[in-house]
Amino acid sequence: MMKRAIRIKSYTLLALFISLSFSCKKNFNEVNTDPIGKSKVQASQLLAPALVNVLYANMVRNRGLNNELMQVTVDISDAEGKVFRYDLRRNLADYTWNNWYVELTNLRDIYTIANQPESLNSSYKGISLITQAWVFQLLTDVYGDVPYKDANKGKEGVYEPTFDKQKDIYLDLFAKLEEANKLLTEGKAITANSDPVFQGDINKWRRFGNSLYLRLLLRISGKAEVSTQAVSKIKEIAETNKANYPIMENNSHTAKILWNGTNSSTALYSSPFMISVRAVDFRTPAITDFFLGNLGAWVDPRINPQLGKNNISRFGIAPGPAGYVGVPSGYDAGTSVVKQSYFYSDAQNAAYTLQTDPYTGIIMNCAEVDFILAEAAAKGWISGTGESYYNKGIADAVNYWMPERFTSGTDPAVISYINAADIAWNNALPLDNLTRNAPSKMQLIHIQKYYAMFLVDFQQWIEYRRTQHPFLPQGTGLANGGKMPARLNYPIVTQSTNPTSYRNAVASQGADDINTLVWWQKP
């Protein structure tokens, strides 16, 4: 059996049970007191464990759920319950819900500790608000209405938290991010080794918070009731008040955890691809013809070894029996599909594999911000046509994996690549056209954004639900009527431990079903 590294443990691991009432209340303090834990901690001690554990869960589910839904990989099988066929079982919902809420207790406690007179630190408070917004965004975008204002308050006697409406959650997340931006302007120093993302660089945290702000504003910009305010704020951040809202501008600003260990119990930050995925399992899923086909047609440097540094493909793709080709997703059960290309695993002695790549721990990258701005410009919300942001997004997306490839979005090399790949910006195209495979600016932006968000938690799936881009092939073997799932179910345990709030949420949002639209998806 593969030797496993020890994950960083949270100081308040029992918080999930407190906050969401997953355990009995009788004799709680006696039974659930940690005999070896600390009764008092510093904000600096909570940050790294919480961030690592959230990212750990994100990467596990990105690989097994997002990648299968979004046709990055396909787990070739005729068995039931296969995600690539949209056959989502209820137990898929538990893992992220449980992990995210546990760590939200720690992220919230960072603010509480940093707000105390003896440990007052505005930067830790700002970072706490940004990271809370990051995790709550994931929760509400994946499940819809969720416990928010009452969540993580078990110590205050709230054992059955109410579910807040997604609209209200979003509006409060905006308030958190506004406050974080102001707090971080003070530039109060933090302990560098407590910060696995930016190593204590407060300005980069501020850029991340405002970039996350843009992501959330764009996500709700299609809702008529808040569209005017969202669009106005996007313009303020991106254009009219840029000095007060710094955002990510290059890959040095990308929010990531750089994994510095592999399968070792002594590694400080070890990738979940190494410590929870066996080598044989890592290379088991086939890469789809959609994911690989586009990159191949573009002669993309991320998969073409001849264009990479030291002749290494940065996506670590191994050829199948027919070479560097993919397989269809959504095929009928009983169809004889032969596994073709796949991602190399560590055990294959490959020159390079994503399984051990230290750069896979992505929280949010600069290329996503570029494509947010490209969409905003294409829609007339900010100046320009979108082309310059689009070109920069392509360059930044490639450069994240291959920093030696392009110097900028205006580099003749990137323009040459874009033209040769036939993916150049065309301002004559309509803004959008949802007729399958019809060209539009939105399709141009979002197929590139799809590759830019490779390995970034659920963002490909969430953005597809918002835009219906990029166009994905639809196999005849899809379950769920061929409809992309719109959300995950609530965990089954919530029905018994928080029945009243659960029933109220269902009555408000709609059936607890994978096809029920969340607020920002509804017309």
Side-chain angles (χ1 to χ4, degrees):
M1 179 178 291
M2 176 179 174
K3 182 180 178 183
R4 295 175 179 267
I6 299 173
R7 286 179 60 191
I8 296 178
K9 297 299 180 183
S10 302
Y11 288 99
T12 52
L13 187 59
L14 295 174
L16 173 66
F17 305 101
I18 300 172
S19 305
L20 303 179
S21 66
F22 289 170
S23 60
C24 298
K25 294 180 240 181
K26 184 178 180 181
N27 298 325
F28 182 85
N29 291 331
E30 294 179 22
V31 175
N32 293 287
T33 298
D34 181 358
I36 61 174
K38 297 183 179 181
S39 60
K40 187 174 183 179
V41 297
Q42 299 301 313
S44 60
Q45 295 173 296
L46 292 176
L47 184 60
L51 293 176
V52 169
N53 288 343
V54 171
L55 188 56
Y56 189 105
N58 291 356
M59 290 176 65
V60 168
R61 275 296 183 260
N62 167 269
R63 182 176 176 274
L65 196 148
N66 178 89
N67 285 0
E68 294 282 302
L69 286 175
M70 292 303 297
Q71 297 193 26
V72 175
T73 58
V74 56
D75 181 14
I76 295 177
S77 173
D78 288 339
E80 295 182 348
K82 289 298 174 182
V83 174
F84 75 87
R85 290 198 180 97
Y86 303 168
D87 188 4
L88 272 58
R89 301 305 166 93
R90 296 190 71 94
N91 60 359
L92 281 173
D94 296 14
Y95 179 77
T96 43
W97 178 282
N98 294 348
N99 280 279
W100 288 339
Y101 270 114
V102 165
E103 301 309 336
L104 277 166
T105 297
N106 292 316
L107 296 174
R108 180 172 176 256
D109 284 348
I110 290 172
Y111 188 98
T112 302
I113 295 167
N115 200 38
Q116 295 171 350
E118 66 272 18
S119 54
L120 190 65
N121 188 301
S122 56
S123 291
Y124 276 120
K125 288 167 64 178
I127 291 168
S128 168
L129 294 172
I130 290 169
T131 53
Q132 286 182 64
W134 170 50
V135 181
F136 269 118
Q137 167 257 304
L138 286 166
L139 272 161
T140 190
D141 286 347
V142 169
Y143 300 96
D145 296 351
V146 295
Y148 180 69
K149 290 186 177 178
D150 284 347
N152 309 91
K153 291 185 177 180
K155 289 186 292 186
E156 300 169 35
V158 181
Y159 301 108
E160 297 183 15
T162 58
F163 286 58
D164 293 82
K165 295 182 183 300
Q166 187 177 66
K167 176 184 175 181
D168 297 333
I169 294 171
Y170 259 83
L171 294 179
D172 197 67
L173 293 182
F174 295 155
K176 278 182 166 58
L177 293 171
E178 285 282 0
E179 182 183 352
N181 185 50
K182 293 176 182 177
L183 288 167
L184 293 174
T185 59
E186 299 178 23
K188 183 73 172 179
I190 65 171
T191 306
N193 63 12
S194 75
D195 174 10
V197 180
F198 295 122
Q199 295 72 52
D201 191 323
I202 301 306
N203 183 58
K204 288 182 180 179
W205 272 106
R206 193 176 173 208
R207 289 180 183 275
F208 169 40
N210 292 324
S211 299
L212 181 64
Y213 202 169
L214 284 176
R215 175 196 281 178
L216 301 189
L217 289 164
L218 182 64
R219 195 148 290 162
I220 68 164
S221 62
K223 293 294 292 183
E225 59 199 285
V226 293
S227 178
T228 300
Q229 298 93 317
V231 170
S232 175
K233 195 67 188 182
I234 289 172
K235 185 175 180 65
E236 180 182 0
I237 294 173
E239 195 166 271
T240 61
N241 197 9
K242 291 174 63 175
N244 193 46
Y245 290 95
I247 59 176
M248 293 180 185
E249 295 179 348
N250 58 62
N251 281 319
S252 73
H253 301 149
T254 287
K256 67 181 184 299
I257 292 179
L258 191 66
W259 305 119
N260 57 18
T262 54
N263 185 29
S264 168
S265 60
T266 60
L268 185 58
Y269 305 129
S270 296
S271 168
F273 289 164
M274 280 300 300
I275 64 178
S276 71
V277 183
R278 298 180 305 170
V280 65
D281 295 326
F282 191 83
R283 64 178 181 263
T284 291
I287 302 175
T288 68
D289 53 8
F290 175 78
F291 183 83
L292 189 56
N294 288 317
L295 294 173
W298 301 337
V299 194
D300 192 279
R302 288 165 289 189
I303 68 162
N304 189 322
Q306 283 69 46
L307 296 178
K309 186 177 181 180
N310 300 325
N311 291 330
I312 295 173
S313 167
R314 293 303 293 170
F315 280 173
I317 296 174
Y324 288 94
V325 298
V327 298
S329 183
Y331 61 86
D332 289 295
T335 305
S336 296
V337 175
V338 178
K339 177 182 172 181
Q340 295 289 340
S341 292
Y342 59 92
F343 292 113
Y344 275 116
S345 71
D346 181 53
Q348 293 178 287
N349 297 316
Y352 169 77
T353 169
L354 284 169
Q355 191 174 18
T356 57
D357 192 304
Y359 285 84
T360 55
I362 309 166
I363 296 173
M364 185 177 185
N365 60 35
C366 181
E368 180 184 346
V369 179
D370 297 329
F371 291 120
I372 289 171
L373 298 177
E375 182 175 338
K379 290 180 173 178
W381 301 342
I382 61 176
S383 301
T385 63
E387 181 176 10
S388 61
Y389 295 117
Y390 173 79
N391 290 350
K392 183 176 182 296
I394 292 173
D396 285 339
V398 172
N399 282 349
Y400 180 79
W401 299 101
M402 305 176 65
E404 74 284 352
R405 186 62 186 153
F406 304 123
T407 60
S408 69
T410 58
D411 183 350
V414 76
I415 302 302
S416 177
Y417 159 68
I418 288 171
N419 289 333
D422 196 22
I423 55 175
W425 183 263
N426 183 351
N427 208 48
L429 290 175
L431 173 64
D432 204 358
N433 188 339
L434 292 179
T435 302
R436 179 154 292 278
N437 295 326
S440 68
K441 293 173 186 173
M442 286 290 282
Q443 174 66 8
L444 275 177
I445 292 168
H446 282 276
I447 195 165
Q448 295 302 323
K449 192 174 183 180
Y450 167 89
Y451 287 98
M453 295 192 299
F454 175 56
L455 300 184
V456 184
D457 54 68
F458 293 93
Q459 296 308 310
Q460 288 177 332
W461 176 49
I462 296 170
E463 279 293 271
Y464 179 85
R465 289 158 47 200
R466 179 178 72 88
T467 67
Q468 302 303 300
H469 292 288
F471 296 124
L472 298 174
Q474 291 185 304
T476 56
L478 292 175
N480 198 43
K483 294 186 294 183
M484 174 67 76
R487 60 183 289 274
L488 293 186
N489 301 101
Y490 293 125
I492 296 173
V493 71
T494 60
Q495 299 179 40
S496 58
T497 59
N498 196 4
T500 301
S501 296
Y502 170 80
R503 286 194 298 269
N504 290 341
V506 171
S508 173
Q509 178 170 265
D512 187 12
D513 183 87
I514 62 172
N515 295 313
T516 294
L517 303 180
V518 301
W519 166 71
W520 53 253
Q521 289 178 274
K522 294 176 181 178

